[in-house]
PDB file of all heavy atoms in Angstrom:
ATOM      1  N   ASP A 219     191.098 134.020  68.507  1.00 97.00           N
ATOM      2  CA  ASP A 219     191.551 132.653  68.419  1.00 97.00           C
ATOM      3  C   ASP A 219     192.998 132.582  68.821  1.00 97.00           C
ATOM      4  O   ASP A 219     193.859 133.217  68.172  1.00 97.00           O
ATOM      5  CB  ASP A 219     191.364 132.143  66.984  1.00 97.00           C
ATOM      6  CG  ASP A 219     191.774 130.673  66.841  1.00 97.00           C
ATOM      7  OD1 ASP A 219     192.099 130.060  67.844  1.00 97.00           O
ATOM      8  OD2 ASP A 219     191.688 130.158  65.686  1.00 97.00           O
ATOM      9  N   PHE A 220     193.361 131.856  69.876  1.00 98.00           N
ATOM     10  CA  PHE A 220     194.673 131.789  70.398  1.00 98.00           C
ATOM     11  C   PHE A 220     195.427 130.521  69.953  1.00 98.00           C
ATOM     12  O   PHE A 220     196.530 130.215  70.458  1.00 98.00           O
ATOM     13  CB  PHE A 220     194.666 131.814  71.943  1.00 98.00           C
ATOM     14  CG  PHE A 220     194.155 133.136  72.520  1.00 98.00           C
ATOM     15  CD1 PHE A 220     192.827 133.305  72.682  1.00 98.00           C
ATOM     16  CD2 PHE A 220     195.088 134.127  72.851  1.00 98.00           C
ATOM     17  CE1 PHE A 220     192.360 134.537  73.209  1.00 98.00           C
ATOM     18  CE2 PHE A 220     194.583 135.333  73.353  1.00 98.00           C
ATOM     19  CZ  PHE A 220     193.272 135.557  73.552  1.00 98.00           C
ATOM     20  N   THR A 221     194.884 129.891  68.917  1.00 97.00           N
ATOM     21  CA  THR A 221     195.505 128.683  68.397  1.00 97.00           C
ATOM     22  C   THR A 221     196.953 128.968  67.962  1.00 97.00           C
ATOM     23  O   THR A 221     197.195 129.948  67.272  1.00 97.00           O
ATOM     24  CB  THR A 221     194.723 128.147  67.209  1.00 97.00           C
ATOM     25  OG1 THR A 221     193.403 127.817  67.628  1.00 97.00           O
ATOM     26  CG2 THR A 221     195.378 126.868  66.644  1.00 97.00           C
ATOM     27  N   GLY A 222     197.911 128.149  68.414  1.00 96.00           N
ATOM     28  CA  GLY A 222     199.278 128.291  68.037  1.00 96.00           C
ATOM     29  C   GLY A 222     200.049 129.353  68.805  1.00 96.00           C
ATOM     30  O   GLY A 222     201.218 129.578  68.545  1.00 96.00           O
ATOM     31  N   LYS A 223     199.395 130.016  69.766  1.00 98.00           N
ATOM     32  CA  LYS A 223     200.071 131.053  70.515  1.00 98.00           C
ATOM     33  C   LYS A 223     200.371 130.599  71.939  1.00 98.00           C
ATOM     34  O   LYS A 223     199.620 129.859  72.538  1.00 98.00           O
ATOM     35  CB  LYS A 223     199.162 132.298  70.565  1.00 98.00           C
ATOM     36  CG  LYS A 223     198.834 132.855  69.174  1.00 98.00           C
ATOM     37  CD  LYS A 223     198.015 134.160  69.338  1.00 98.00           C
ATOM     38  CE  LYS A 223     197.502 134.593  67.945  1.00 98.00           C
ATOM     39  NZ  LYS A 223     198.609 134.814  66.952  1.00 98.00           N
ATOM     40  N   THR A 224     201.452 131.122  72.459  1.00 97.00           N
ATOM     41  CA  THR A 224     201.798 130.962  73.863  1.00 97.00           C
ATOM     42  C   THR A 224     201.166 132.165  74.603  1.00 97.00           C
ATOM     43  O   THR A 224     201.427 133.289  74.228  1.00 97.00           O
ATOM     44  CB  THR A 224     203.296 130.939  74.120  1.00 97.00           C
ATOM     45  OG1 THR A 224     203.862 129.791  73.434  1.00 97.00           O
ATOM     46  CG2 THR A 224     203.625 130.879  75.607  1.00 97.00           C
ATOM     47  N   VAL A 225     200.319 131.858  75.619  1.00 98.00           N
ATOM     48  CA  VAL A 225     199.605 132.903  76.304  1.00 98.00           C
ATOM     49  C   VAL A 225     200.044 132.958  77.766  1.00 98.00           C
ATOM     50  O   VAL A 225     200.063 131.900  78.416  1.00 98.00           O
ATOM     51  CB  VAL A 225     198.076 132.697  76.209  1.00 98.00           C
ATOM     52  CG1 VAL A 225     197.366 133.923  76.755  1.00 98.00           C
ATOM     53  CG2 VAL A 225     197.636 132.405  74.804  1.00 98.00           C
ATOM     54  N   ILE A 226     200.392 134.151  78.256  1.00 98.00           N
ATOM     55  CA  ILE A 226     200.952 134.290  79.589  1.00 98.00           C
ATOM     56  C   ILE A 226     200.169 135.320  80.311  1.00 98.00           C
ATOM     57  O   ILE A 226     200.262 136.503  79.995  1.00 98.00           O
ATOM     58  CB  ILE A 226     202.433 134.636  79.534  1.00 98.00           C
ATOM     59  CG1 ILE A 226     203.237 133.699  78.637  1.00 98.00           C
ATOM     60  CG2 ILE A 226     203.023 134.627  80.964  1.00 98.00           C
ATOM     61  CD1 ILE A 226     204.623 134.113  78.386  1.00 98.00           C
ATOM     62  N   PRO A 227     199.346 134.963  81.309  1.00 98.00           N
ATOM     63  CA  PRO A 227     198.609 135.949  82.071  1.00 98.00           C
ATOM     64  C   PRO A 227     199.471 136.648  83.137  1.00 98.00           C
ATOM     65  O   PRO A 227     200.437 136.062  83.619  1.00 98.00           O
ATOM     66  CB  PRO A 227     197.480 135.139  82.750  1.00 98.00           C
ATOM     67  CG  PRO A 227     198.059 133.745  82.796  1.00 98.00           C
ATOM     68  CD  PRO A 227     199.000 133.567  81.687  1.00 98.00           C
ATOM     69  N   PHE A 228     199.152 137.875  83.451  1.00 98.00           N
ATOM     70  CA  PHE A 228     199.758 138.568  84.568  1.00 98.00           C
ATOM     71  C   PHE A 228     198.699 139.491  85.178  1.00 98.00           C
ATOM     72  O   PHE A 228     197.787 139.904  84.470  1.00 98.00           O
ATOM     73  CB  PHE A 228     201.009 139.316  84.140  1.00 98.00           C
ATOM     74  CG  PHE A 228     200.763 140.493  83.232  1.00 98.00           C
ATOM     75  CD1 PHE A 228     200.649 141.790  83.711  1.00 98.00           C
ATOM     76  CD2 PHE A 228     200.654 140.302  81.844  1.00 98.00           C
ATOM     77  CE1 PHE A 228     200.432 142.851  82.858  1.00 98.00           C
ATOM     78  CE2 PHE A 228     200.445 141.376  80.976  1.00 98.00           C
ATOM     79  CZ  PHE A 228     200.320 142.672  81.497  1.00 98.00           C
ATOM     80  N   CYS A 229     198.859 139.786  86.444  1.00 97.00           N
ATOM     81  CA  CYS A 229     197.866 140.647  87.082  1.00 97.00           C
ATOM     82  C   CYS A 229     198.529 141.544  88.142  1.00 97.00           C
ATOM     83  O   CYS A 229     199.716 141.302  88.525  1.00 97.00           O
ATOM     84  CB  CYS A 229     196.807 139.747  87.746  1.00 97.00           C
ATOM     85  SG  CYS A 229     197.369 138.831  89.192  1.00 97.00           S
ATOM     86  N   THR A 230     197.764 142.485  88.586  1.00 96.00           N
ATOM     87  CA  THR A 230     198.185 143.324  89.710  1.00 96.00           C
ATOM     88  C   THR A 230     197.053 143.310  90.774  1.00 96.00           C
ATOM     89  O   THR A 230     195.879 143.174  90.381  1.00 96.00           O
ATOM     90  CB  THR A 230     198.475 144.782  89.284  1.00 96.00           C
ATOM     91  OG1 THR A 230     197.278 145.328  88.661  1.00 96.00           O
ATOM     92  CG2 THR A 230     199.605 144.870  88.316  1.00 96.00           C
ATOM     93  N   SER A 231     197.439 143.401  91.970  1.00 93.00           N
ATOM     94  CA  SER A 231     196.464 143.440  93.074  1.00 93.00           C
ATOM     95  C   SER A 231     197.042 144.052  94.321  1.00 93.00           C
ATOM     96  O   SER A 231     198.293 144.101  94.455  1.00 93.00           O
ATOM     97  CB  SER A 231     195.931 142.074  93.350  1.00 93.00           C
ATOM     98  OG  SER A 231     196.906 141.245  93.959  1.00 93.00           O
ATOM     99  N   THR A 232     196.153 144.409  95.232  1.00 90.00           N
ATOM    100  CA  THR A 232     196.661 144.913  96.535  1.00 90.00           C
ATOM    101  C   THR A 232     197.160 143.794  97.394  1.00 90.00           C
ATOM    102  O   THR A 232     198.218 143.869  97.992  1.00 90.00           O
ATOM    103  CB  THR A 232     195.503 145.664  97.265  1.00 90.00           C
ATOM    104  OG1 THR A 232     195.054 146.723  96.441  1.00 90.00           O
ATOM    105  CG2 THR A 232     195.986 146.212  98.588  1.00 90.00           C
ATOM    106  N   SER A 233     196.407 142.708  97.439  1.00 86.00           N
ATOM    107  CA  SER A 233     196.819 141.583  98.283  1.00 86.00           C
ATOM    108  C   SER A 233     196.490 140.201  97.639  1.00 86.00           C
ATOM    109  O   SER A 233     197.173 139.220  97.949  1.00 86.00           O
ATOM    110  CB  SER A 233     196.158 141.662  99.622  1.00 86.00           C
ATOM    111  OG  SER A 233     194.740 141.713  99.535  1.00 86.00           O
ATOM    112  N   SER A 234     195.480 140.161  96.816  1.00 84.00           N
ATOM    113  CA  SER A 234     195.051 138.859  96.233  1.00 84.00           C
ATOM    114  C   SER A 234     196.091 138.281  95.315  1.00 84.00           C
ATOM    115  O   SER A 234     196.809 139.048  94.644  1.00 84.00           O
ATOM    116  CB  SER A 234     193.733 139.012  95.496  1.00 84.00           C
ATOM    117  OG  SER A 234     192.714 139.506  96.330  1.00 84.00           O
ATOM    118  N   GLY A 235     196.167 136.954  95.237  1.00 89.00           N
ATOM    119  CA  GLY A 235     197.092 136.320  94.346  1.00 89.00           C
ATOM    120  C   GLY A 235     196.496 136.111  92.956  1.00 89.00           C
ATOM    121  O   GLY A 235     195.358 136.515  92.675  1.00 89.00           O
ATOM    122  N   LEU A 236     197.223 135.436  92.100  1.00 91.00           N
ATOM    123  CA  LEU A 236     196.722 135.137  90.777  1.00 91.00           C
ATOM    124  C   LEU A 236     195.492 134.234  90.826  1.00 91.00           C
ATOM    125  O   LEU A 236     194.573 134.361  90.001  1.00 91.00           O
ATOM    126  CB  LEU A 236     197.834 134.515  89.918  1.00 91.00           C
ATOM    127  CG  LEU A 236     197.526 134.211  88.458  1.00 91.00           C
ATOM    128  CD1 LEU A 236     197.452 135.545  87.675  1.00 91.00           C
ATOM    129  CD2 LEU A 236     198.622 133.296  87.871  1.00 91.00           C
ATOM    130  N   GLY A 237     195.508 133.337  91.792  1.00 91.00           N
ATOM    131  CA  GLY A 237     194.361 132.418  91.970  1.00 91.00           C
ATOM    132  C   GLY A 237     194.058 131.639  90.710  1.00 91.00           C
ATOM    133  O   GLY A 237     194.994 131.174  90.030  1.00 91.00           O
ATOM    134  N   GLU A 238     192.783 131.449  90.451  1.00 93.00           N
ATOM    135  CA  GLU A 238     192.377 130.661  89.281  1.00 93.00           C
ATOM    136  C   GLU A 238     192.114 131.538  88.081  1.00 93.00           C
ATOM    137  O   GLU A 238     191.541 131.088  87.072  1.00 93.00           O
ATOM    138  CB  GLU A 238     191.091 129.865  89.637  1.00 93.00           C
ATOM    139  CG  GLU A 238     191.283 128.794  90.699  1.00 93.00           C
ATOM    140  CD  GLU A 238     192.170 127.686  90.136  1.00 93.00           C
ATOM    141  OE1 GLU A 238     191.870 127.195  89.037  1.00 93.00           O
ATOM    142  OE2 GLU A 238     193.099 127.350  90.839  1.00 93.00           O
ATOM    143  N   SER A 239     192.507 132.813  88.172  1.00 96.00           N
ATOM    144  CA  SER A 239     192.136 133.774  87.075  1.00 96.00           C
ATOM    145  C   SER A 239     192.703 133.326  85.736  1.00 96.00           C
ATOM    146  O   SER A 239     191.990 133.367  84.729  1.00 96.00           O
ATOM    147  CB  SER A 239     192.643 135.183  87.415  1.00 96.00           C
ATOM    148  OG  SER A 239     194.062 135.201  87.519  1.00 96.00           O
ATOM    149  N   GLY A 240     193.924 132.931  85.690  1.00 95.00           N
ATOM    150  CA  GLY A 240     194.537 132.531  84.419  1.00 95.00           C
ATOM    151  C   GLY A 240     193.858 131.234  83.865  1.00 95.00           C
ATOM    152  O   GLY A 240     193.623 131.114  82.647  1.00 95.00           O
ATOM    153  N   LYS A 241     193.606 130.294  84.785  1.00 96.00           N
ATOM    154  CA  LYS A 241     192.959 129.064  84.373  1.00 96.00           C
ATOM    155  C   LYS A 241     191.548 129.297  83.850  1.00 96.00           C
ATOM    156  O   LYS A 241     191.141 128.682  82.816  1.00 96.00           O
ATOM    157  CB  LYS A 241     192.877 128.117  85.586  1.00 96.00           C
ATOM    158  CG  LYS A 241     192.383 126.729  85.279  1.00 96.00           C
ATOM    159  CD  LYS A 241     193.354 125.975  84.399  1.00 96.00           C
ATOM    160  CE  LYS A 241     192.901 124.565  84.150  1.00 96.00           C
ATOM    161  NZ  LYS A 241     193.833 123.822  83.213  1.00 96.00           N
ATOM    162  N   LEU A 242     190.832 130.201  84.440  1.00 97.00           N
ATOM    163  CA  LEU A 242     189.431 130.516  83.955  1.00 97.00           C
ATOM    164  C   LEU A 242     189.493 131.190  82.611  1.00 97.00           C
ATOM    165  O   LEU A 242     188.614 130.915  81.772  1.00 97.00           O
ATOM    166  CB  LEU A 242     188.757 131.389  84.998  1.00 97.00           C
ATOM    167  CG  LEU A 242     188.460 130.745  86.367  1.00 97.00           C
ATOM    168  CD1 LEU A 242     187.914 131.812  87.295  1.00 97.00           C
ATOM    169  CD2 LEU A 242     187.434 129.615  86.212  1.00 97.00           C
ATOM    170  N   LEU A 243     190.479 132.002  82.387  1.00 97.00           N
ATOM    171  CA  LEU A 243     190.617 132.658  81.074  1.00 97.00           C
ATOM    172  C   LEU A 243     190.972 131.617  79.991  1.00 97.00           C
ATOM    173  O   LEU A 243     190.503 131.692  78.889  1.00 97.00           O
ATOM    174  CB  LEU A 243     191.643 133.802  81.108  1.00 97.00           C
ATOM    175  CG  LEU A 243     191.286 135.032  81.920  1.00 97.00           C
ATOM    176  CD1 LEU A 243     192.444 136.019  81.888  1.00 97.00           C
ATOM    177  CD2 LEU A 243     189.989 135.645  81.442  1.00 97.00           C
ATOM    178  N   GLU A 244     191.825 130.717  80.382  1.00 97.00           N
ATOM    179  CA  GLU A 244     192.202 129.629  79.445  1.00 97.00           C
ATOM    180  C   GLU A 244     190.986 128.810  79.029  1.00 97.00           C
ATOM    181  O   GLU A 244     190.812 128.492  77.852  1.00 97.00           O
ATOM    182  CB  GLU A 244     193.263 128.703  80.088  1.00 97.00           C
ATOM    183  CG  GLU A 244     193.675 127.567  79.192  1.00 97.00           C
ATOM    184  CD  GLU A 244     194.677 126.637  79.868  1.00 97.00           C
ATOM    185  OE1 GLU A 244     194.985 126.870  81.065  1.00 97.00           O
ATOM    186  OE2 GLU A 244     195.181 125.704  79.216  1.00 97.00           O
ATOM    187  N   GLU A 245     190.164 128.493  80.019  1.00 97.00           N
ATOM    188  CA  GLU A 245     188.934 127.735  79.709  1.00 97.00           C
ATOM    189  C   GLU A 245     187.990 128.539  78.850  1.00 97.00           C
ATOM    190  O   GLU A 245     187.345 127.990  77.919  1.00 97.00           O
ATOM    191  CB  GLU A 245     188.189 127.351  80.999  1.00 97.00           C
ATOM    192  CG  GLU A 245     188.999 126.314  81.860  1.00 97.00           C
ATOM    193  CD  GLU A 245     188.387 126.084  83.181  1.00 97.00           C
ATOM    194  OE1 GLU A 245     187.320 126.712  83.486  1.00 97.00           O
ATOM    195  OE2 GLU A 245     188.888 125.226  83.958  1.00 97.00           O
ATOM    196  N   MET A 246     187.955 129.846  79.082  1.00 97.00           N
ATOM    197  CA  MET A 246     187.079 130.729  78.301  1.00 97.00           C
ATOM    198  C   MET A 246     187.604 130.820  76.838  1.00 97.00           C
ATOM    199  O   MET A 246     186.800 130.792  75.892  1.00 97.00           O
ATOM    200  CB  MET A 246     187.087 132.120  78.923  1.00 97.00           C
ATOM    201  CG  MET A 246     186.106 133.111  78.314  1.00 97.00           C
ATOM    202  SD  MET A 246     186.204 134.714  79.114  1.00 97.00           S
ATOM    203  CE  MET A 246     185.740 134.294  80.765  1.00 97.00           C
ATOM    204  N   ALA A 247     188.943 130.853  76.670  1.00 97.00           N
ATOM    205  CA  ALA A 247     189.508 130.930  75.326  1.00 97.00           C
ATOM    206  C   ALA A 247     189.347 129.636  74.553  1.00 97.00           C
ATOM    207  O   ALA A 247     189.002 129.637  73.374  1.00 97.00           O
ATOM    208  CB  ALA A 247     191.003 131.303  75.433  1.00 97.00           C
ATOM    209  N   GLY A 248     189.602 128.541  75.243  1.00 96.00           N
ATOM    210  CA  GLY A 248     189.462 127.232  74.620  1.00 96.00           C
ATOM    211  C   GLY A 248     190.606 126.887  73.653  1.00 96.00           C
ATOM    212  O   GLY A 248     190.654 125.790  73.104  1.00 96.00           O
ATOM    213  N   THR A 249     191.516 127.800  73.403  1.00 97.00           N
ATOM    214  CA  THR A 249     192.648 127.579  72.492  1.00 97.00           C
ATOM    215  C   THR A 249     193.906 128.221  73.049  1.00 97.00           C
ATOM    216  O   THR A 249     193.816 129.088  73.958  1.00 97.00           O
ATOM    217  CB  THR A 249     192.414 128.145  71.086  1.00 97.00           C
ATOM    218  OG1 THR A 249     192.083 129.573  71.217  1.00 97.00           O
ATOM    219  CG2 THR A 249     191.272 127.424  70.409  1.00 97.00           C
ATOM    220  N   GLY A 250     195.027 127.839  72.559  1.00 97.00           N
ATOM    221  CA  GLY A 250     196.308 128.431  72.959  1.00 97.00           C
ATOM    222  C   GLY A 250     197.042 127.620  74.009  1.00 97.00           C
ATOM    223  O   GLY A 250     196.463 126.783  74.714  1.00 97.00           O
ATOM    224  N   ASN A 251     198.315 127.800  74.106  1.00 97.00           N
ATOM    225  CA  ASN A 251     199.147 127.166  75.116  1.00 97.00           C
ATOM    226  C   ASN A 251     199.361 128.130  76.258  1.00 97.00           C
ATOM    227  O   ASN A 251     200.239 129.015  76.212  1.00 97.00           O
ATOM    228  CB  ASN A 251     200.504 126.753  74.486  1.00 97.00           C
ATOM    229  CG  ASN A 251     201.487 126.152  75.509  1.00 97.00           C
ATOM    230  OD1 ASN A 251     201.024 125.539  76.510  1.00 97.00           O
ATOM    231  ND2 ASN A 251     202.731 126.356  75.321  1.00 97.00           N
ATOM    232  N   TRP A 252     198.596 127.968  77.317  1.00 97.00           N
ATOM    233  CA  TRP A 252     198.617 128.918  78.412  1.00 97.00           C
ATOM    234  C   TRP A 252     199.624 128.513  79.478  1.00 97.00           C
ATOM    235  O   TRP A 252     199.640 127.348  79.936  1.00 97.00           O
ATOM    236  CB  TRP A 252     197.225 129.038  79.046  1.00 97.00           C
ATOM    237  CG  TRP A 252     196.232 129.728  78.160  1.00 97.00           C
ATOM    238  CD1 TRP A 252     195.714 129.311  77.003  1.00 97.00           C
ATOM    239  CD2 TRP A 252     195.602 131.016  78.434  1.00 97.00           C
ATOM    240  NE1 TRP A 252     194.854 130.233  76.467  1.00 97.00           N
ATOM    241  CE2 TRP A 252     194.749 131.286  77.349  1.00 97.00           C
ATOM    242  CE3 TRP A 252     195.675 131.918  79.478  1.00 97.00           C
ATOM    243  CZ2 TRP A 252     193.983 132.448  77.242  1.00 97.00           C
ATOM    244  CZ3 TRP A 252     194.948 133.103  79.400  1.00 97.00           C
ATOM    245  CH2 TRP A 252     194.127 133.330  78.316  1.00 97.00           C
ATOM    246  N   LEU A 253     200.500 129.475  79.839  1.00 96.00           N
ATOM    247  CA  LEU A 253     201.519 129.183  80.836  1.00 96.00           C
ATOM    248  C   LEU A 253     201.058 129.724  82.222  1.00 96.00           C
ATOM    249  O   LEU A 253     200.096 130.495  82.297  1.00 96.00           O
ATOM    250  CB  LEU A 253     202.823 129.853  80.463  1.00 96.00           C
ATOM    251  CG  LEU A 253     203.416 129.412  79.093  1.00 96.00           C
ATOM    252  CD1 LEU A 253     204.804 130.075  78.934  1.00 96.00           C
ATOM    253  CD2 LEU A 253     203.512 127.946  78.905  1.00 96.00           C
ATOM    254  N   GLU A 254     201.769 129.321  83.276  1.00 92.00           N
ATOM    255  CA  GLU A 254     201.522 129.847  84.599  1.00 92.00           C
ATOM    256  C   GLU A 254     201.781 131.372  84.566  1.00 92.00           C
ATOM    257  O   GLU A 254     202.780 131.828  83.991  1.00 92.00           O
ATOM    258  CB  GLU A 254     202.447 129.181  85.606  1.00 92.00           C
ATOM    259  CG  GLU A 254     202.244 129.607  87.025  1.00 92.00           C
ATOM    260  CD  GLU A 254     200.949 129.137  87.620  1.00 92.00           C
ATOM    261  OE1 GLU A 254     200.394 128.108  87.118  1.00 92.00           O
ATOM    262  OE2 GLU A 254     200.448 129.803  88.543  1.00 92.00           O
ATOM    263  N   GLY A 255     200.886 132.091  85.177  1.00 94.00           N
ATOM    264  CA  GLY A 255     201.023 133.570  85.149  1.00 94.00           C
ATOM    265  C   GLY A 255     201.787 134.096  86.366  1.00 94.00           C
ATOM    266  O   GLY A 255     202.431 133.384  87.091  1.00 94.00           O
ATOM    267  N   LYS A 256     201.665 135.401  86.522  1.00 96.00           N
ATOM    268  CA  LYS A 256     202.387 136.095  87.584  1.00 96.00           C
ATOM    269  C   LYS A 256     201.542 137.228  88.162  1.00 96.00           C
ATOM    270  O   LYS A 256     200.963 137.997  87.447  1.00 96.00           O
ATOM    271  CB  LYS A 256     203.716 136.619  87.003  1.00 96.00           C
ATOM    272  CG  LYS A 256     204.588 137.459  87.974  1.00 96.00           C
ATOM    273  CD  LYS A 256     205.174 136.581  89.058  1.00 96.00           C
ATOM    274  CE  LYS A 256     206.144 137.367  89.949  1.00 96.00           C
ATOM    275  NZ  LYS A 256     206.708 136.561  91.024  1.00 96.00           N
ATOM    276  N   ARG A 257     201.571 137.297  89.452  1.00 96.00           N
ATOM    277  CA  ARG A 257     200.864 138.402  90.157  1.00 96.00           C
ATOM    278  C   ARG A 257     201.918 139.391  90.619  1.00 96.00           C
ATOM    279  O   ARG A 257     202.996 139.041  91.157  1.00 96.00           O
ATOM    280  CB  ARG A 257     200.087 137.873  91.337  1.00 96.00           C
ATOM    281  CG  ARG A 257     199.417 138.963  92.178  1.00 96.00           C
ATOM    282  CD  ARG A 257     200.223 139.241  93.466  1.00 96.00           C
ATOM    283  NE  ARG A 257     199.661 140.355  94.243  1.00 96.00           N
ATOM    284  CZ  ARG A 257     200.248 140.886  95.247  1.00 96.00           C
ATOM    285  NH1 ARG A 257     201.435 140.476  95.648  1.00 96.00           N
ATOM    286  NH2 ARG A 257     199.682 141.928  95.893  1.00 96.00           N
ATOM    287  N   PHE A 258     201.656 140.666  90.412  1.00 97.00           N
ATOM    288  CA  PHE A 258     202.508 141.766  90.884  1.00 97.00           C
ATOM    289  C   PHE A 258     201.704 142.629  91.828  1.00 97.00           C
ATOM    290  O   PHE A 258     200.468 142.743  91.766  1.00 97.00           O
ATOM    291  CB  PHE A 258     202.993 142.630  89.715  1.00 97.00           C
ATOM    292  CG  PHE A 258     203.855 141.918  88.738  1.00 97.00           C
ATOM    293  CD1 PHE A 258     203.328 141.493  87.554  1.00 97.00           C
ATOM    294  CD2 PHE A 258     205.185 141.630  88.983  1.00 97.00           C
ATOM    295  CE1 PHE A 258     204.120 140.809  86.621  1.00 97.00           C
ATOM    296  CE2 PHE A 258     205.990 140.968  88.095  1.00 97.00           C
ATOM    297  CZ  PHE A 258     205.444 140.538  86.916  1.00 97.00           C
ATOM    298  N   SER A 259     202.427 143.266  92.775  1.00 94.00           N
ATOM    299  CA  SER A 259     201.757 144.196  93.693  1.00 94.00           C
ATOM    300  C   SER A 259     201.276 145.439  92.952  1.00 94.00           C
ATOM    301  O   SER A 259     201.720 145.700  91.814  1.00 94.00           O
ATOM    302  CB  SER A 259     202.681 144.566  94.826  1.00 94.00           C
ATOM    303  OG  SER A 259     203.706 145.423  94.349  1.00 94.00           O
ATOM    304  N   GLU A 260     200.401 146.169  93.588  1.00 91.00           N
ATOM    305  CA  GLU A 260     199.922 147.425  92.960  1.00 91.00           C
ATOM    306  C   GLU A 260     201.038 148.436  92.694  1.00 91.00           C
ATOM    307  O   GLU A 260     200.957 149.253  91.811  1.00 91.00           O
ATOM    308  CB  GLU A 260     198.824 148.019  93.816  1.00 91.00           C
ATOM    309  CG  GLU A 260     199.281 148.394  95.229  1.00 91.00           C
ATOM    310  CD  GLU A 260     198.120 148.957  96.085  1.00 91.00           C
ATOM    311  OE1 GLU A 260     197.043 149.197  95.469  1.00 91.00           O
ATOM    312  OE2 GLU A 260     198.282 149.119  97.266  1.00 91.00           O
ATOM    313  N   ASN A 261     202.131 148.358  93.517  1.00 92.00           N
ATOM    314  CA  ASN A 261     203.261 149.239  93.303  1.00 92.00           C
ATOM    315  C   ASN A 261     204.354 148.434  92.543  1.00 92.00           C
ATOM    316  O   ASN A 261     205.488 148.392  92.986  1.00 92.00           O
ATOM    317  CB  ASN A 261     203.815 149.711  94.621  1.00 92.00           C
ATOM    318  CG  ASN A 261     202.775 150.573  95.382  1.00 92.00           C
ATOM    319  OD1 ASN A 261     202.134 151.456  94.801  1.00 92.00           O
ATOM    320  ND2 ASN A 261     202.617 150.290  96.673  1.00 92.00           N
ATOM    321  N   VAL A 262     203.991 147.887  91.445  1.00 93.00           N
ATOM    322  CA  VAL A 262     204.862 146.989  90.640  1.00 93.00           C
ATOM    323  C   VAL A 262     206.116 147.765  90.266  1.00 93.00           C
ATOM    324  O   VAL A 262     206.072 148.948  89.849  1.00 93.00           O
ATOM    325  CB  VAL A 262     204.161 146.442  89.457  1.00 93.00           C
ATOM    326  CG1 VAL A 262     203.594 147.534  88.596  1.00 93.00           C
ATOM    327  CG2 VAL A 262     205.044 145.543  88.615  1.00 93.00           C
ATOM    328  N   SER A 263     207.303 147.119  90.346  1.00 95.00           N
ATOM    329  CA  SER A 263     208.555 147.718  90.011  1.00 95.00           C
ATOM    330  C   SER A 263     209.048 147.116  88.671  1.00 95.00           C
ATOM    331  O   SER A 263     208.761 145.955  88.355  1.00 95.00           O
ATOM    332  CB  SER A 263     209.615 147.512  91.090  1.00 95.00           C
ATOM    333  OG  SER A 263     210.084 146.160  91.083  1.00 95.00           O
TER     334      SER A 263
END
């Protein structure tokens, strides 16, 4: 239950962006204050 929590998605990929991944997880959770996420390259620094 993410009620009352700020939720921030992040991901890594070779080339794909964040896309709708964060939004889909937010819908799946149904609770929480979800912020815009961030995509990092596979060689994240």
Side-chain angles (χ1 to χ4, degrees):
D219 183 4
F220 294 86
T221 300
K223 301 184 187 301
T224 297
V225 189
I226 309 171
F228 67 97
C229 70
T230 58
S231 70
T232 302
S233 58
S234 300
L236 185 71
E238 293 294 309
S239 62
K241 186 67 176 176
L242 293 173
L243 292 179
E244 179 181 5
E245 292 174 358
M246 188 180 297
T249 56
N251 175 32
W252 289 66
L253 304 186
E254 182 69 26
K256 177 71 174 178
R257 175 260 175 189
F258 297 102
S259 70
E260 59 183 351
N261 297 315
V262 57
S263 73

